[in-house]
Amino acid sequence: MTDDPSHRRRVLDPRQDAAALKALTHPLRIRLLGLLRMEGPATASELAVRTGESSASTSYHLRVLAKYAFIAEAEHRDGRERRWKSVHDVTSWSNAAMAGSQEARAFVDVARRAQLDHLERSLVRHQEDLDTGRLGGEWLEPSGFTDLVARLTPESLTELWATFERTVGELATRDEGDPRAEQVVLFTGGLALGSGIDAGDTEPNAGAGSTKAGTEKTSATEDRS
């Protein structure tokens, strides 16, 4: 495991972090970690309410996350219950390194499914926030998704990831302190598809189009090859 202090990023290496990977291969732990990163320090009881789990369950899983240094104790409001905070903003890894063991691949699968679940919850919350007025109408037009398809080389896709992350960081720095800024969850994907298409398969660019995205705040995990 290595830390990037400039981005508060924890980089997992399956050769050194096998136990930590196994501990994080649990959807609820990934969600708890994501909630602490997005919404700030919380107690096991507060997280139980947000996730619909029992406080005993969230307390146990938080202790596991703390054991492997994903979270740490935060400043307490009182002496009755521990408050927890995330140690890093982002967890990342090398896809190539993760491909080397069944346990590491299992972690990647669970993490990606957790990201898809996060996408669904964020979509519901976004619409609710618009409907109830918690978000102003100025957020309606810039929010959205994209399903663009482009022919790229591995080098170009790598460059695209780097450009995206750099731009997000620059915009977030620019908007820091602006009272109009809101937390924006960004979901990005770049998945190469083989050129061969079996009969009956959907065309890879069927329905491709684009909408707009927004600014930065990291969730639980991300992967990079």
Side-chain angles (χ1 to χ4, degrees):
M1 181 270 288
T2 59
D3 289 345
D4 179 353
S6 63
H7 294 88
R8 281 171 46 90
R9 178 191 302 265
R10 178 167 177 175
V11 183
L12 294 174
D13 183 337
R15 296 167 298 181
Q16 303 175 20
D17 304 311
L21 280 171
K22 185 176 181 180
L24 201 57
T25 306
H26 191 291
L28 179 56
R29 289 174 197 161
I30 292 177
R31 187 176 180 192
L32 292 173
L33 180 57
L35 284 169
L36 291 175
R37 286 176 173 173
M38 292 185 65
E39 301 182 10
T43 66
S45 296
E46 291 167 342
L47 291 169
V49 172
R50 295 176 196 175
T51 59
E53 301 285 336
S54 69
S55 58
S57 175
T58 55
S59 179
Y60 167 75
H61 290 298
L62 288 167
R63 290 196 300 271
V64 175
L65 289 171
K67 177 180 179 179
Y68 293 101
F70 290 104
I71 66 174
E73 286 194 52
E75 182 178 350
H76 301 322
R77 292 176 180 172
D78 53 47
R80 290 180 298 175
E81 189 173 9
R82 288 179 173 177
R83 294 184 67 78
W84 298 97
K85 64 180 180 180
S86 172
V87 176
H88 309 90
D89 292 331
V90 177
T91 304
S92 63
W93 59 85
S94 161
N95 284 332
M98 290 294 186
S101 75
Q102 182 176 351
E103 292 79 7
R105 290 196 301 272
F107 162 75
V108 173
D109 181 65
V110 170
R112 288 177 174 174
R113 292 179 186 278
Q115 289 170 325
L116 292 174
D117 181 57
H118 186 198
L119 169 59
E120 291 189 5
R121 292 196 310 273
S122 296
L123 178 59
V124 171
R125 176 174 170 180
H126 168 72
Q127 192 59 55
E128 288 177 346
D129 287 349
L130 285 172
D131 292 343
T132 59
R134 288 191 294 266
L135 280 178
E138 68 274 15
W139 288 102
L140 180 61
E141 184 63 25
S143 300
F145 298 95
T146 177
D147 63 345
L148 291 174
V149 175
R151 293 188 65 83
L152 300 173
T153 63
E155 293 78 14
S156 292
L157 183 54
T158 299
E159 181 180 345
L160 181 59
W161 280 117
T163 301
F164 172 80
E165 291 191 0
R166 182 176 63 251
T167 302
V168 168
E170 291 171 353
L171 292 174
T173 299
R174 187 187 71 183
D175 291 348
E176 187 175 1
D178 190 322
R180 299 174 305 133
E182 297 282 3
Q183 187 177 77
V184 177
V185 184
L186 296 175
F187 296 92
T188 57
L191 304 173
L193 304 176
S195 56
I197 303 175
D198 295 331
D201 283 354
T202 302
E203 290 293 326
N205 63 344
S210 66
T211 54
K212 306 173 194 68
T215 321
E216 179 207 45
K217 186 61 183 177
T218 55
S219 176
T221 54
E222 69 173 16
D223 59 358
R224 294 291 179 269
S225 53

